Amino acid sequence: MVYHLLMTVGTDLVNTQLQRVPKYPELKLGVVNADGEELSGDSIQLRGAICTVPPEDEIPNYVKVINVPGGRNGFNMFGGMSTGFMEQGLNDKFFKERAKFLRTWGGSELLCFRISNDSRVLAKNVSVCLVIRRDVGVAVDNTNDYFPDIPSKQKSQRYDFLQPNSIPSYDIKRGHSDQEYIFTWDVGDVQAGTVVESKTAMFIRADRNTFIRATTYCDDLPEPISKEYQVKATTKEITQIMVSDLKADDAEFSAILDNAVMDGYLGRRAEKEFNKYQHESQEHLPD
């Protein structure tokens, strides 16, 4: 009788404990902006301001003339005419590149994605599919670069022929159809109680509202999890860029960038990178 009682109570206890264990993982998809802030709800507000720029043929080349002191009758000491010459190493497309940068990055956003497993169950073979309509005025891409290069007056010193050929590795891969942008993120297994964040970001620029349809797949779920995010275009007025703006000095142009690109993101990112550099330069570790 005692044996039967122990076996019955033991079985009931085991069954009770098993019922408390969740059958499926609890997966949650989150969206993070370029500053690392997780966006709440189902709405994604783009920051900054859309920029319109002058036609390319109206934007002059960037030149800097160095005058050579002339001698008597307009001739210099070397016997040549006292005119001037172009400084070497300058980026003659500097103003045009500034215009392109503002046109591309004004009113845009970089988005990363997070998958959290809030259960005590392993989630196996997780993947996310992100779909956006290819509407006029909506541009989407994948990128690993969170700090785009701001145009410089100097030509970049790149010697690609010295570097081995390398193909960028994206964990969010890009595809498309005639009607849609399609991105896939193969997350893999997600341990219980952990969070996985994409290394690749989604670049999105939109001058009108649009939607991201997100579908999360997992081998341990009876069906995929679907969610839709509304992407809201920036509420700032369109900024009309003049040629004089493209010729502005660095401080004035930085103010234009702060207004146009994610509400000052580039300055915040530069400070973050500088602090990181300072820390690493003083971090003395064993070999």
Side-chain angles (χ1 to χ4, degrees):
M1 183 175 178
V2 174
Y3 173 79
H4 175 73
L5 180 62
L6 289 173
M7 289 300 297
T8 303
V9 172
T11 303
D12 291 342
L13 182 60
V14 170
N15 290 335
T16 301
Q17 292 298 327
L18 289 175
Q19 289 175 2
R20 291 179 180 174
V21 176
K23 296 180 180 179
Y24 306 116
E26 298 174 11
L27 298 179
K28 177 185 175 184
L29 180 65
V31 184
V32 181
N33 67 16
D35 287 293
E37 302 164 339
E38 184 159 0
L39 308 180
S40 60
D42 302 333
S43 179
I44 299 170
Q45 178 66 63
L46 301 186
R47 301 175 290 176
I50 297 289
C51 295
T52 60
V53 300
E56 186 171 352
D57 59 1
E58 295 181 11
I59 303 174
N61 287 340
Y62 174 67
V63 295
K64 184 177 180 182
V65 175
I66 300 177
N67 291 320
V68 178
R72 189 176 54 186
N73 297 326
F75 283 80
N76 61 36
M77 62 182 295
F78 301 105
M81 292 192 65
S82 177
T83 54
F85 62 90
M86 293 283 296
E87 183 177 335
Q88 300 299 311
L90 290 180
N91 177 14
D92 62 339
K93 295 182 173 58
F94 176 53
F95 298 143
K96 293 181 173 64
E97 289 179 0
R98 274 185 163 184
K100 181 179 179 181
F101 190 93
L102 287 169
R103 187 176 62 240
T104 301
W105 286 94
S108 67
E109 186 63 75
L110 293 173
L111 301 174
C112 287
F113 296 87
R114 287 175 178 166
I115 282 284
S116 60
N117 182 357
D118 297 332
S119 70
R120 293 178 289 163
V121 178
L122 171 69
K124 296 191 292 292
N125 196 24
V126 178
S127 64
V128 179
C129 181
L130 305 159
V131 179
I132 305 155
R133 281 184 55 83
R134 298 185 70 183
D135 293 327
V136 175
V138 177
V140 193
D141 201 359
N142 61 341
T143 180
N144 292 331
D145 188 3
Y146 291 83
F147 195 16
D149 291 333
I150 299 173
S152 170
K153 295 177 183 178
Q154 303 296 323
K155 290 181 181 178
S156 60
Q157 300 296 324
R158 293 185 58 186
Y159 302 98
D160 293 338
F161 60 90
L162 296 177
Q163 303 295 330
N165 294 329
S166 60
I167 300 175
S169 176
Y170 302 102
D171 58 0
I172 297 181
K173 296 180 171 54
R174 179 189 64 181
H176 66 270
S177 66
D178 292 339
Q179 293 81 31
E180 296 173 324
Y181 296 99
I182 303 171
F183 295 85
T184 55
W185 177 26
D186 291 326
V187 185
D189 295 346
V190 182
Q191 298 290 333
T194 62
V195 179
V196 179
E197 184 169 323
S198 66
K199 296 181 177 63
T200 298
M202 174 188 289
F203 166 89
I204 181 166
R205 179 190 180 278
D207 58 17
R208 63 195 64 197
N209 294 347
T210 187
F211 293 89
I212 299 176
R213 300 198 314 273
T215 307
T216 303
Y217 301 90
C218 174
D219 286 353
D220 300 298
L221 292 178
E223 60 184 16
I225 303 171
S226 297
K227 188 171 184 178
E228 187 170 75
Y229 298 92
Q230 182 183 24
V231 180
K232 296 181 179 180
T234 177
T235 56
K236 285 187 178 180
E237 292 185 2
I238 294 176
T239 299
Q240 178 66 54
I241 301 298
M242 312 299 289
V243 171
S244 58
D245 297 321
L246 302 176
K247 292 182 173 182
D249 62 32
D250 290 344
E252 292 173 336
F253 192 72
S254 292
I256 296 173
L257 289 176
D258 284 345
N259 177 67
V261 184
M262 293 178 264
D263 295 342
Y265 166 74
L266 295 173
R268 294 191 298 274
R269 185 73 189 196
E271 183 178 3
K272 180 179 179 180
E273 293 295 327
F274 178 73
N275 290 338
K276 178 182 176 182
Y277 167 77
Q278 279 195 317
H279 172 74
E280 291 178 350
S281 64
Q282 299 174 24
E283 187 179 35
H284 304 294
L285 299 174
D287 295 332

